[in-house]
Amino acid sequence: MNYQKKLHWLICLFVTTFTSIAFAQSVDLKDNWTYREEKTQKWYSANVPGEIHTDLLNSKLIPDPFYRDNEKKLQWIERKNWEYKTAFQVTANMLKKKNTELVFDGLDTYASVYVNNQLVLKADNMFRQWRVDVKKVLKSGNNDLRIVFQSAQNVVDSLAKKDYPFVIPDNPRAYVRKAQYHFGWDWGPKFTTCGIWKTPRFEAYDEKEPEKPYVLNRKIELIQDKDSLGRAFYFKIDGRPVYMKGANYIPSDAFLSKVTKKEYEKIVLSAKEANMNMLRVWGGGIYEDDYFYDLCDKYGINVWQDFMFAGTMVPGDDAFFENVKKEVQYQVKRLRHHPSIVLWCGNNESDEAFKNWGWMKSFKISKQDSIRLWKDYTRLFHDSIPKWVKEVDGKRPYLSSSPLYHWSKAKSVTEGDSHYWGIWWGLEDIEAVQKKTGRFVSEYGMLSLPNYNSIEEFTSPEDRNLYSDILKVHLKAGKGFEKLDSYLAKYFIDASKIKKMNLEDYAYLSQCMHYYSIKNIVGTHRAKAPYNMGTLVWQLNDCWPVASWSITDYNNRQPKAAWYAIKEAYRDDIKPETDFTHPKDLALEDPKISWQIKGNNVTIKAQKMAKYVCVSMKGYNGKWSDNYFDLKAGEEKTISFEGKITKPEIKIYSLFEVLKRY
């Protein structure tokens, strides 16, 4: 390095160092954490970011929460209070700064924070950033930091009991600003966890770094004009109407610390590779990590962003509203620079739930209380949140709730967005979609079991029979097997034969059902453009190994059959096909399938017509280039797999072979 270059380098280093000292000295606090059950003796090593369940698992104090029925055995964890502690160093130079703050981007959820045994913060919102000035309690050198997490389940139960006989439907979870899916869902386990879910830091500074100017370089509009057929619902980006093809996105794990950048990449790429251009971040989860939105920005995937409310009404007290205001404005300011976000939506299904889910009767709600609930709801979602959003982001549209009309109402298919659950929950035929396609269908789906290699991972051999108790633990949907059997009996196999099926065949057939449904629903939606201008399947991903509506498997995010259906149906270079012929009515013959492996390619040939050809390989849970495809008589098809497999053991079967067994 010559003298001039060296001098320039030293000046740059000095300026950079001086600037960081002038603005802020920031130290991440992620090391040397320990935890214990509150008021017990022994401390154990903790991970930050993390949560109590993963820490207990890492300490070998609990079994794998996802295995067999361990979920039920671990419910005690949510009823305890948990304590975390570490120490951090503060220099004399830091103490000279005007401001010395602890910053928490993610405390889940009811947390009391102590520095040197002095209470400095009581947090009560998982989604807010908490900043607290700790100058008065700091000392030069070693400083103790301790956080006590109170049981969220105990707190919400206590708040609900205190309000009784006034009831906020449909769950005490409505009281807490915490990921709602932690309280259990019809695809997810109940692990009401707690912990430090984002890395905290210590900051010392004289002046705050100036806020970056907010720039959005595209014009985003949500068009909801009345027309002769009802009311439109579509997005215009830079003046051009865009047909949205996508899926609903839920948190990718029951334990958020397990969602690494690598996991985010797998998941968002699974959307991109399936020809999607939109993901709806569902309102019962979390405001996602910046990296998720970075990937959506990169891959041109538009994001419909719900605020974190799902299927409940809300408390109306001032403290709750003030808490939500700070949450909303913090999150919108944090995320608004992402061009991928095209919509802020108040909540998931709360409006239609209040009007159509029978809460008044099931919770014995008086007329007076009903009026109060609706008043609090409209004040938050119609008046307050849109105003709070506009103060920090006046460039994107806001929608109060998705949807406004229940699927049983005629307006569901003529006005606004629709969650069309007549298929599945209403047990309607798949053909119903031909007459019941809405203007923008933001939820719909069909349930299937996970891939069989996933089932093998969360079960023991004695569990692997149809309707086993362990299998039911991993199928949360109400009357799930009953509904799935009903569809299988109508479309694939005589009802009398279903109970005789082995689990592997049943899992395969459920995925064929999923494929058939999604192919025909998406094909019908797209054929009805521009009346219909969006189709978002429920759902892209799972948060644990489970039978669900997801088109990908929790296990390594491997595609399920429906992912391949979506990938084909969302192509823009061809018109998507529909075929409503019931597979059970096909006159199938033995296709006499043969195959050959060469490197990472498998070439498959059928002598007769083959339906839903499925390829699996022992020990492989990655992605095939295609699967669950049809082969015409004499047709040859080559598909590929990823990675290196020594001595691959291939299994190939089709609909004929599975049905013939019964």
Side-chain angles (χ1 to χ4, degrees):
M1 186 184 289
N2 65 35
Y3 175 76
Q4 281 187 318
K5 279 186 179 177
K6 190 172 183 180
L7 182 64
H8 177 73
W9 179 80
L10 286 169
I11 290 168
C12 287
L13 180 65
F14 173 78
V15 169
T16 304
T17 306
F18 179 81
T19 303
S20 72
I21 291 170
F23 284 122
Q25 289 175 282
S26 182
V27 181
D28 281 351
L29 306 177
K30 60 182 179 181
D31 298 326
N32 303 315
W33 285 90
T34 55
Y35 77 96
R36 69 177 180 181
E37 183 185 331
E38 189 188 28
K39 297 177 181 174
T40 58
Q41 294 302 309
K42 190 170 180 183
W43 292 86
Y44 299 87
S45 178
N47 287 330
V48 170
E51 53 275 294
I52 188 56
H53 287 77
T54 50
D55 283 332
L56 288 165
L57 183 62
N58 292 335
S59 303
K60 299 183 178 174
L61 296 173
I62 61 169
D64 179 356
F66 295 169
Y67 185 64
R68 301 194 77 222
D69 59 351
N70 286 343
E71 177 198 0
K72 290 190 284 188
K73 297 170 184 172
L74 298 178
Q75 293 304 299
W76 61 271
I77 298 168
E78 70 181 36
R79 294 293 181 179
K80 305 288 187 180
N81 296 339
W82 298 93
E83 201 170 352
Y84 284 74
K85 71 173 183 179
T86 190
F88 62 101
Q89 294 289 318
V90 176
T91 65
N93 186 47
M94 289 172 172
L95 286 172
K96 289 175 187 173
K97 298 292 180 188
K98 290 179 187 174
N99 303 284
T100 50
E101 294 179 340
L102 283 174
V103 185
F104 300 95
D105 291 330
L107 292 175
D108 180 11
T109 291
Y110 293 107
S112 299
V113 180
Y114 299 84
V115 175
N116 298 326
N117 287 321
Q118 299 293 310
L119 179 66
V120 296
L121 171 68
K122 285 186 82 94
D124 63 353
N125 189 325
M126 177 179 175
F127 306 123
R128 277 176 60 182
Q129 182 189 77
W130 299 92
R131 282 183 170 268
V132 56
D133 193 317
V134 289
K135 186 178 276 292
K136 290 180 181 176
V137 297
L138 287 181
K139 58 187 180 183
S140 184
N142 215 38
N143 288 262
D144 295 322
L145 173 59
R146 184 166 57 92
I147 305 174
V148 179
F149 290 96
Q150 197 175 355
S151 159
Q153 190 64 62
N154 289 346
V155 172
V156 298
D157 288 348
S158 172
L159 290 170
K161 189 176 179 182
K162 187 180 172 185
D163 268 358
Y164 193 80
F166 177 70
V167 175
I168 299 177
D170 73 332
N171 192 296
R173 64 183 169 83
Y175 287 92
V176 62
R177 298 310 301 138
K178 173 177 172 60
Q180 300 287 279
Y181 83 110
H182 283 170
F183 294 86
W185 221 265
D186 57 10
W187 37 255
K190 188 180 191 302
F191 290 124
T192 311
T193 194
C194 68
I196 306 163
W197 72 288
K198 293 190 177 185
T199 303
R201 61 190 178 277
F202 172 71
E203 288 185 357
Y205 61 93
D206 289 322
E207 303 291 334
K208 269 196 174 171
E209 207 167 336
E211 244 179 42
K212 291 175 185 174
Y214 162 47
V215 179
L216 183 65
N217 289 323
R218 61 176 184 160
K219 186 181 180 184
I220 301 161
E221 299 169 89
L222 175 62
I223 309 301
Q224 299 186 80
D225 297 338
K226 282 188 174 179
D227 57 27
S228 61
L229 300 168
R231 188 184 292 272
F233 190 106
Y234 65 92
F235 290 89
K236 259 189 185 179
I237 311 294
D238 292 330
R240 184 176 64 89
V242 178
Y243 188 96
M244 295 300 181
K245 309 167 297 173
N248 288 265
Y249 176 92
I250 66 169
S252 285
D253 209 287
F255 306 122
L256 293 165
S257 68
K258 290 170 69 178
V259 190
T260 61
K261 284 190 172 183
K262 191 176 178 183
E263 285 298 294
Y264 277 122
E265 284 163 6
K266 281 184 201 171
I267 295 154
V268 178
L269 263 176
S270 77
K272 175 67 176 174
E273 289 172 358
N275 300 308
M276 295 183 186
N277 65 1
M278 177 171 268
L279 290 175
R280 173 178 174 246
V281 179
W282 169 77
I286 62 167
Y287 305 93
E288 276 298 336
D289 188 271
D290 260 302
Y291 192 62
F292 168 85
Y293 302 98
D294 288 342
L295 290 169
C296 291
D297 294 343
K298 177 181 175 181
Y299 292 122
I301 294 174
N302 300 290
V303 174
W304 167 320
Q305 179 66 53
D306 281 0
F307 290 105
M308 293 302 121
F309 298 88
T312 61
M313 301 308 279
V314 293
D317 58 280
D318 291 343
F320 184 86
F321 269 63
E322 186 60 28
N323 201 353
V324 173
K325 179 181 181 180
K326 286 177 178 170
E327 168 193 324
V328 165
Q329 295 202 320
Y330 165 68
Q331 291 293 347
V332 172
K333 284 177 84 171
R334 178 176 77 89
L335 298 174
R336 65 188 179 184
H337 68 279
H338 289 285
S340 54
I341 297 174
V342 296
L343 179 69
W344 305 111
C345 179
N347 67 71
N348 170 76
E349 296 186 345
S350 296
D351 190 304
E352 67 141 318
F354 184 78
K355 295 168 182 172
N356 296 283
W357 289 8
W359 282 344
M360 305 309 128
K361 188 177 179 181
S362 59
F363 290 103
K364 299 180 174 63
I365 295 171
S366 68
K367 187 176 180 181
Q368 186 179 350
D369 285 350
S370 176
I371 292 168
R372 174 182 164 184
L373 284 165
W374 185 245
K375 185 181 176 184
D376 291 339
Y377 172 89
T378 54
R379 185 162 70 94
L380 184 62
F381 295 108
H382 292 204
D383 304 331
S384 302
I385 291 181
K387 184 180 78 175
W388 299 334
V389 169
K390 199 168 185 180
E391 287 171 5
V392 287
D393 180 13
K395 299 179 181 181
R396 286 180 177 87
Y398 170 82
L399 185 69
S400 66
S401 183
S402 174
L404 288 182
Y405 301 107
H406 187 262
W407 59 263
S408 63
K409 306 297 180 186
K411 283 187 175 181
S412 174
V413 296
T414 60
E415 295 191 15
D417 74 310
S418 167
H419 292 191
Y420 198 76
W421 286 108
I423 297 169
W424 181 259
W425 288 114
L427 283 176
E428 291 180 351
D429 294 346
I430 311 304
E431 294 89 331
V433 70
Q434 295 171 306
K435 292 183 179 177
K436 295 181 178 178
T437 289
R439 311 305 295 266
F440 191 110
V441 192
S442 47
E443 277 193 26
Y444 62 90
M446 175 57 62
L447 184 140
S448 65
L449 267 61
N451 295 327
Y452 192 67
N453 61 14
S454 293
I455 294 172
E456 289 179 312
E457 289 203 6
F458 68 77
T459 58
S460 62
E462 67 267 26
D463 306 325
R464 292 169 201 152
N465 53 77
L466 199 50
Y467 316 129
S468 73
D469 290 342
I470 299 302
L471 212 57
K472 287 175 181 174
V473 170
H474 293 258
L475 202 175
K476 298 290 185 182
K479 297 183 178 178
F481 276 118
E482 188 180 312
K483 283 182 162 59
L484 187 51
D485 287 357
S486 173
Y487 279 105
L488 289 176
K490 184 165 188 68
Y491 289 91
F492 279 88
I493 186 170
D494 291 339
S496 61
K497 297 178 179 179
I498 292 175
K499 290 183 173 63
K500 299 172 186 174
M501 296 184 76
N502 69 51
L503 182 55
E504 186 172 2
D505 286 346
Y506 185 92
Y508 162 82
L509 214 59
S510 75
Q511 292 218 20
C512 293
M513 184 70 232
H514 203 172
Y515 186 110
Y516 174 91
S517 306
I518 297 306
K519 172 187 175 178
N520 285 306
I521 293 171
V522 172
T524 304
H525 286 171
R526 294 195 67 192
K528 291 183 181 291
Y531 179 83
N532 168 270
M533 283 298 287
T535 173
L536 307 180
V537 69
W538 183 271
Q539 67 217 64
L540 176 66
N541 56 324
D542 272 327
C543 69
W544 78 314
V546 66
S548 79
W549 302 268
S550 178
I551 62 170
T552 61
D553 205 312
Y554 174 78
N555 182 4
N556 198 35
R557 314 298 169 185
Q558 57 186 306
K560 290 164 69 176
W563 184 87
Y564 295 100
I566 283 271
K567 182 184 178 186
E568 190 70 13
Y570 280 172
R571 285 172 61 178
D572 282 328
D573 58 329
I574 59 168
K575 186 179 177 182
E577 294 178 358
T578 57
D579 181 2
F580 287 96
T581 306
H582 293 196
K584 72 185 288 186
D585 295 334
L586 295 171
L588 296 175
E589 299 178 70
D590 186 351
K592 293 185 168 59
I593 294 171
S594 58
W595 69 89
Q596 192 174 26
I597 302 174
K598 193 172 182 181
N600 280 52
N601 294 325
V602 181
T603 301
I604 305 153
K605 190 171 183 178
Q607 292 183 27
K608 302 276 188 178
M609 171 69 180
K611 289 289 290 182
Y612 301 115
V613 176
C614 175
V615 188
S616 66
M617 183 159 53
K618 192 173 182 181
Y620 178 67
N621 65 0
K623 182 171 61 192
W624 293 90
S625 60
D626 200 359
N627 218 344
Y628 289 87
F629 49 83
D630 295 346
L631 283 176
K632 293 173 184 169
E635 185 181 2
E636 189 174 274
K637 184 181 179 79
T638 299
I639 64 170
S640 60
F641 59 91
E642 301 167 335
K644 194 171 183 179
I645 306 287
T646 53
K647 295 183 180 178
E649 293 181 41
I650 294 283
K651 183 176 182 180
I652 298 181
Y653 40 99
S654 69
L655 186 60
F656 171 84
E657 292 153 313
V658 170
L659 295 181
K660 188 185 176 186
R661 284 197 271 274
Y662 308 98

